[in-house]
Amino acid sequence: MHPNTELANRIIQEKLLGSTVESFGLTHQFLTLTFRDKNADDHTIWIDTEVTSKSYPFQELNLDETGAALLLFNSVNLKEVVAIQCNDEATLEIQFDNGIHIFFAGSPAEESMIEPWSLGTEMSNAASSIIATHGGGYIIFEGRQDM
């Protein structure tokens, strides 16, 4: 595993494992999922990639990609994250306590999606960000104290 992948997984798991989906929607034309952890800190994933799920058949509905993703996000609203991981190709997988798995593609078919997803968090005067890059790899900013 690439060293940045290990660091990205450590941060993602530290921030999101055990958290619940607090809200979801569209912000500035990006899909977003916001999680609240046990310390009442919020963490937002910004999504500009293909969203899929093997455990929820939303793809079979006659919806556009955004509508289908929002319907999927509604199925995990207020649900707890029980597993989360990313891989060397920057694909992110989240499993929720209701059995739903969501995947954010790290290598979307549309190559113009150069940052398929990112996680931003602010807490206790420290901020962290993880930006997944198309095809793999991460840009990581951790624990800035200048907030």
Side-chain angles (χ1 to χ4, degrees):
M1 184 177 290
H2 190 277
N4 269 358
T5 304
E6 290 178 17
L7 179 57
N9 271 308
R10 183 183 60 76
I11 294 168
I12 288 168
Q13 291 168 2
E14 177 184 301
K15 307 296 183 203
L16 298 182
L17 199 58
S19 67
T20 57
V21 173
E22 179 66 20
S23 64
F24 62 92
L26 283 171
T27 305
H28 301 290
Q29 305 307 311
F30 288 94
L31 288 166
T32 60
L33 268 175
T34 299
F35 300 82
R36 180 151 296 161
D37 67 20
K38 291 178 171 72
N39 298 320
D41 291 319
D42 288 344
H43 312 278
T44 301
I45 297 178
W46 297 74
I47 303 134
D48 187 24
T49 191
E50 298 154 3
V51 178
T52 58
S53 175
K54 295 177 185 173
S55 53
Y56 189 78
F58 71 96
Q59 294 96 335
E60 297 172 8
L61 302 173
N62 190 20
L63 298 170
D64 65 13
E65 286 182 32
T66 300
L70 290 171
L71 183 62
L72 175 62
F73 294 169
N74 188 59
S75 72
V76 297
N77 192 36
L78 303 176
K79 301 301 180 196
E80 183 177 332
V81 175
V82 295
I84 186 166
Q85 67 179 11
C86 54
N87 62 23
D88 286 336
E89 290 76 38
T91 295
L92 177 65
E93 176 185 0
I94 306 172
Q95 180 181 349
F96 296 89
D97 64 357
N98 64 350
I100 301 290
H101 290 235
I102 298 178
F103 300 88
F104 303 119
S107 298
E110 192 175 323
E111 289 188 28
S112 65
M113 297 174 176
I114 58 173
E115 295 175 356
W117 60 268
S118 63
L119 170 69
T121 182
E122 290 184 31
M123 57 184 211
S124 308
N125 296 323
S128 297
S129 295
I130 299 173
I131 301 169
T133 59
H134 187 278
Y138 302 91
I139 300 167
I140 300 172
F141 303 96
E142 186 178 20
R144 289 192 340 237
Q145 297 297 320
D146 60 342
M147 295 301 292

